[in-house]
C-alpha cells in the first residue's frame, strides 16, 4: 500500500503570532517535505516537538504577512502500531477521563440507559459506534468550534469531529478508554482532515469511525489526544491569524473496501 498526502494552508498573520501546526504524518514518512513561505520568502524550518504516539507538533514564531504552509508526504506500506508516550496503563487512564469536548461524566446516564446491558469492551465499542451513526446526521457547517459531545447529542447533527467526540464520551462513560485521532483519510469526500476514534478492547487500540465516510484500512495517523483541543491542525497561542484557504489531499494506490464489522488498528 502506497499513500500520498498533501496539505496547503494559506494564512494572513496580522500580528506577530505563535502557532502550532499538526499536519505531519505521525512517526515520519518514507519521504516528506514541510515548507513555510512568508510573503514569498522561504522561512527556516519550524521547531519540531514530540507530541506522543508518533505525533509531531511544528512550532513557529511568525511575523505579520501572508503565510503559506505546504506539506507533502509519501508512505510505503502499513505502519507499525505506534508506542504510547507513557506507561500503557497511564495511557489508558488518561483515555478514561472527561475532557473539554468529551464530558463523559455528563453522559453517564445516557450511556447506562442505552448500553448498560452490553457486555465486553468490543461489544460496547461496536454498539456505541452504530448508535452514533444512526443518531446523527452528517451536515457540514452545522456545529460550532466550541460544541462538545453533549451539544452534538442535543443537536443531532455534526461533522467528523462531532461524531468522534460523542463516541469517545459515551465509551469513557462505559469505562472503555477512548481517544480522538486526526488522520489523513484516502477516499474521504469532500477531502479534508478527518477525525476518528481509537478505543481500547482490553488488548489493543482499534480504530472506529461512526461517519463511515472513508475506509479505515488506508487512514494515516497525524495526531492523537483527548479530543480536538489536542489534535487541531492549527492552533494560535498568541497574535492574530486568519485561515484564508486550505487544501488537503490523501490518495492510496488501491482504495480498500470498508467493512464496518472489521476490527482494525491504525496503520
Amino acid at each position: 500500500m502506497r499513500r500520498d498526502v498533501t496539505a496547503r494552508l494559506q494564512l494572513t498573520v496580522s500580528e506577530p503570532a505563535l502557532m502550532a501546526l499538526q499536519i505531519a504524518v505521525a512517526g515520519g514518512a518514507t519521504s516528506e517535505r514541510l515548507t513555510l513561505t512568508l510573503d514569498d520568502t522561504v522561512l527556516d524550518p519550524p521547531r519540531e516537538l514530540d507530541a506522543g504516539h508518533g505525533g509531531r507538533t511544528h512550532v513557529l514564531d511568525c511575523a505579520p504577512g501572508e503565510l503559506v504552509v505546504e506539506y507533502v508526504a509519501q508512505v510505503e506500506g502499513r505502519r507499525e502500531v505506534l508506542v504510547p508516550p507513557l506507561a500503557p496503563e497511564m495511557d489508558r487512564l488518561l483515555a478514561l477521563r472527561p475532557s473539554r469536548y468529551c464530558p463523559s461524566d455528563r453522559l453517564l446516564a445516557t450511556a447506562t440507559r442505552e448500553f448498560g446491558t452490553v457486555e465486553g469492551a468490543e461489544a460496547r465499542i461496536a454498539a456505541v459506534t452504530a448508535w452514533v451513526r444512526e443518531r446523527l446526521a452528517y451536515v457540514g457547517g452545522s456545529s460550532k468550534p466550541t460544541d462538545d459531545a453533549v451539544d452534538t447529542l442535543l443537536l443531532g447533527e455534526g461533522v467528523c469531529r462531532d461524531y468522534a467526540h460523542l463516541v469517545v464520551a459515551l465509551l469513557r462513560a462505559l469505562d472503555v478508554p477512548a481517544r480522538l485521532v486526526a488522520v489523513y483519510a484516502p477516499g474521504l469526500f469532500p477531502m479534508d482532515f478527518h477525525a476518528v476514534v481509537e478505543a481500547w478492547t482490553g488488548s489493543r487500540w482499534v480504530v472506529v469511525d461512526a461517519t463511515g465516510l472513508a475506509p479505515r484500512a488506508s487512514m494515516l495517523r497525524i495526531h492523537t489526544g483527548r479530543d480536538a483541543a489536542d489534535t487541531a491542525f492549527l492552533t494560535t497561542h498568541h497574535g492574530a491569524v486568519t485561515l484564508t484557504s486550505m487544501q488537503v489531499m490523501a490518495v492510496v494506490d488501491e482504495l480498500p473496501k470498508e467493512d464496518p464489522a472489521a476490527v482494525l488498528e491504525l496503520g
Side-chain angles (χ1 to χ4, degrees):
M1 181 188 297
R2 169 180 158 175
R3 288 163 287 184
D4 292 273
V5 302
T6 62
R8 187 177 193 273
L9 313 178
Q10 290 185 268
L11 308 110
T12 298
V13 182
S14 50
E15 297 177 9
L18 174 66
M19 290 178 279
L21 292 163
Q22 298 183 149
I23 60 175
V25 171
T30 307
S31 63
E32 65 180 345
R33 183 180 72 254
L34 176 62
T35 306
L36 288 80
T37 306
L38 184 67
D39 292 334
D40 298 323
T41 299
V42 177
L43 302 179
D44 291 335
R47 302 187 299 281
E48 181 175 300
L49 305 180
D50 180 357
H53 303 96
R56 295 171 291 156
T57 300
H58 290 95
V59 181
L60 171 68
D61 293 290
C62 190
E66 297 299 316
L67 177 67
V68 176
V69 178
E70 295 180 295
Y71 177 72
V72 180
Q74 182 180 105
V75 174
E76 295 280 359
R78 285 186 59 81
R79 317 296 301 283
E80 293 294 327
V81 176
L82 296 165
V83 177
L86 305 172
E89 184 176 5
M90 189 66 221
D91 204 44
R92 296 193 293 272
L93 286 174
L94 288 174
L96 282 171
R97 296 175 182 171
S99 60
R100 165 66 181 86
Y101 293 106
C102 301
S104 50
D105 50 340
R106 295 172 58 200
L107 287 171
L108 181 59
T110 299
T112 301
R113 182 180 65 249
E114 297 292 339
F115 311 106
T117 61
V118 180
E119 296 293 336
E122 286 195 23
R124 287 182 169 185
I125 293 166
V128 167
T129 303
W131 188 85
V132 171
R133 180 175 292 145
E134 292 298 319
R135 183 89 178 193
L136 301 184
Y138 192 96
V139 180
S142 60
S143 60
K144 302 185 296 295
T146 55
D147 283 355
D148 64 18
V150 175
D151 297 316
T152 298
L153 181 60
L154 294 174
L155 187 63
E157 59 188 27
V159 294
C160 62
R161 67 169 244 163
D162 304 305
Y163 278 67
H165 284 154
L166 185 53
V167 170
V168 167
L170 289 170
L171 287 175
R172 289 176 183 171
L174 294 166
D175 292 323
V176 177
R179 59 199 187 193
L180 189 140
V181 185
V183 298
Y184 286 105
L188 181 69
F189 181 82
M191 183 55 66
D192 203 341
F193 295 112
H194 194 46
V196 296
V197 176
E198 274 189 318
W200 180 253
T201 66
S203 60
R204 58 177 174 159
W205 291 97
V206 298
V207 58
V208 295
D209 181 8
T211 72
L213 292 177
R216 292 168 294 152
S218 61
M219 292 178 180
L220 271 174
R221 184 192 308 267
I222 302 172
H223 216 78
T224 309
R226 297 164 300 172
D227 54 33
D230 293 337
T231 62
F233 67 86
L234 172 67
T235 304
T236 303
H237 292 284
H238 65 67
V241 179
T242 302
L243 178 66
T244 57
S245 74
M246 180 176 74
Q247 297 89 39
V248 178
M249 183 57 63
V251 297
V252 62
D253 53 2
E254 185 175 350
L255 191 67
K257 184 178 180 180
E258 171 67 0
D259 177 5
V263 180
L264 300 175
E265 296 174 89
L266 273 177

